[in-house]
Amino acid sequence: MELNELRKLLAAGVVIPAHPLAVTARRKLDEKHQRGLTRYYLDAGAGGIAVGVHTTQFAIRAAKHDLFSPVLSMASEEAAAFEKRMGRPVVKVAGVVGPTPRALQEAEIALKLGYDAVLLSLGWARGKSTQELAAHCREIAKILPLFGFYLQQAAGGIPLPWQFWRLFLEIDNVAAIKVAPFNRYQTIDVARALAESGRSEEVALYTGNDDSIVPDLLTPFTYSVGGRRVEVRFRGGLLGHWAVWTHGAVKILDRIKGITCAGAPVPADLLRQSAEITDANAAFFDAANGFRGCIAGIHEVLVRQGLMAGRWCLDPREDLSPGQKEEIDRVTAAYPHLSDDEFVNANRQRWLD
């Protein structure tokens, strides 16, 4: 996909689920359910997929698993089949991690497999200067467009000050930024940097703040830049939370885009729904236990829908926290209108065939 087309699609605002990893009880790749998940997301209306990211489990890169290329390849194949069948482009984002030599290698793999951009994680770079971080990003941008990533510290991220984002936004080959620090002050740092960069029309902000999805998408962030007011908005989301109940997430984003485009007042029921989504996310992501069960929580919801065979992770120690299952029971019963069970039940067998 050409950079201008990529930017146009991202600016329009799409749902991009952070793709989970389906494995068997023996911790081996479950190809049937892995491909089925990709088909589910695309048929649900997602405009993209993000693979090789935190939700996919960073352990796919370990030599004993060696799943980075196979998992990226499967998702790319399914996206290509969907594009051919439906005539609708899919934004394919590959997670890239590690110091520059390793990140370059992963970006090259993503390029060969047909990905459009890399979601660049900087959690490895604790203690590096903003100039060193920016130099790393410039090297990766020579291979594929960048999807910047402000990852929350509880998931291994590092603080990325406003000054870093100003340097990052000087890189020509930047398409978007996923803002996911779960922190309003740090979220504002990125929005302000984008406004001051003069690139708010070509670089899209995407929320990764699973605790405040709807507020991010509704809020106009406005700053004084060179004597004029500049407004930036989040266009869509690249979210682990949107790896479940995806069909409903697409409807919510479409509704929000309609409201913001029309400049209409925000309905009270949407604010209520915002709180419900955050409550559900707290259960899925295990907020009460420092997010330790976040991947297993996503898996648990998908297992209940028949989209995964089990909630197993590559690391046998990674599972639900005590009390998390009961919390998922609670929010599932409390907010049935947020789920897409009916849509899944009507299509699941076709996705898994």
Side-chain angles (χ1 to χ4, degrees):
M1 185 182 300
E2 295 293 329
L3 180 58
N4 286 341
E5 182 185 3
L6 175 63
R7 285 177 170 159
K8 184 178 179 180
L9 288 170
L10 291 172
V14 296
V15 165
I16 305 179
H19 204 305
L21 178 72
V23 299
T24 67
R26 299 181 64 189
R27 321 284 170 177
K28 302 297 183 182
L29 180 63
D30 179 349
E31 181 172 349
K32 181 176 81 168
H33 287 90
Q34 188 69 22
R35 290 184 181 274
L37 283 171
T38 309
R39 295 166 186 169
Y40 158 55
Y41 296 134
L42 298 178
D43 280 358
I49 47 173
V51 191
V53 295
H54 176 253
T55 307
T56 323
Q57 301 176 52
F58 289 141
I60 61 172
R61 296 164 171 82
K64 65 179 180 180
H65 300 302
D66 193 23
L67 289 175
F68 183 76
S69 292
V71 169
L72 263 66
S73 180
M74 286 181 194
S76 182
E77 289 168 5
E78 293 299 332
F82 177 87
E83 289 175 326
K84 183 177 180 180
R85 184 174 73 253
M86 302 301 295
R88 176 166 70 81
V90 175
V91 176
K92 297 178 292 297
V93 182
V96 165
V97 304
T100 306
R102 174 177 164 181
L104 286 169
Q105 182 181 39
E106 291 191 0
E108 290 283 4
I109 292 170
L111 175 64
K112 290 176 183 177
L113 293 175
Y115 280 74
D116 304 303
V118 294
L119 184 72
L120 192 57
S121 177
L122 300 174
W124 62 275
R126 192 172 301 276
K128 299 289 186 183
S129 70
T130 56
Q131 291 77 14
E132 289 173 313
L133 292 173
H136 168 77
C137 296
R138 283 193 291 271
E139 288 301 307
I140 312 308
K142 293 175 183 177
I143 298 174
L144 275 172
L146 300 184
F147 215 118
F149 187 14
Y150 201 157
L151 175 64
Q152 62 155 325
Q153 294 186 57
I158 60 174
L160 295 170
W162 165 86
Q163 292 90 338
F164 165 75
W165 292 110
R166 287 293 282 112
L167 287 174
F168 181 82
L169 284 159
E170 291 176 4
I171 301 170
D172 289 338
N173 207 21
V174 170
I177 300 172
K178 170 179 173 171
V179 187
F182 286 38
N183 179 298
R184 303 316 288 167
Y185 301 113
Q186 293 169 340
T187 295
I188 287 171
D189 280 345
V190 185
R192 173 188 161 207
L194 179 58
E196 294 179 351
S197 73
R199 301 185 68 188
S200 58
E201 295 301 315
E202 61 180 277
V203 176
L205 284 187
Y206 267 60
T207 182
N209 287 320
D210 302 75
D211 62 342
S212 53
I213 298 168
V214 173
D216 274 358
L217 293 169
L218 285 171
T219 301
F221 295 84
T222 309
Y223 304 91
S224 178
V225 181
R228 62 190 183 91
R229 301 296 285 173
V230 176
E231 178 182 293
V232 298
R233 286 184 175 271
F234 283 87
R235 305 305 183 105
L238 195 166
L239 294 151
H241 185 82
W242 281 354
V244 299
W245 298 353
T246 309
H247 194 238
V250 171
K251 292 179 180 178
I252 290 168
L253 178 59
D254 285 347
R255 185 183 181 196
I256 291 171
K257 288 196 294 185
I259 291 167
T260 57
C261 287
V266 178
D269 74 293
L270 184 57
L271 296 178
R272 284 193 295 270
Q273 193 171 64
S274 172
E276 294 169 354
I277 292 168
T278 301
D279 190 22
N281 179 261
F284 301 163
F285 271 43
D286 193 28
N289 296 289
F291 305 98
R292 284 193 297 272
C294 62
I295 293 176
I298 293 168
H299 290 189
E300 175 68 17
V301 179
L302 294 169
V303 169
R304 294 180 186 204
Q305 291 189 304
L307 292 167
M308 274 188 168
R311 64 171 184 261
W312 309 291
C313 297
L314 291 175
D315 184 346
R317 298 168 298 178
E318 195 164 357
D319 202 351
L320 298 180
S321 293
Q324 188 181 359
K325 181 178 183 296
E326 291 73 20
E327 275 296 283
I328 294 174
D329 290 341
R330 178 184 66 82
V331 299
T332 301
Y335 312 125
H337 52 285
L338 296 181
S339 81
D340 58 0
D341 288 352
E342 184 176 342
F343 172 74
V344 171
N345 289 337
N347 294 280
R348 181 179 52 245
Q349 195 56 53
R350 176 169 58 84
W351 298 327
L352 296 177
D353 282 344

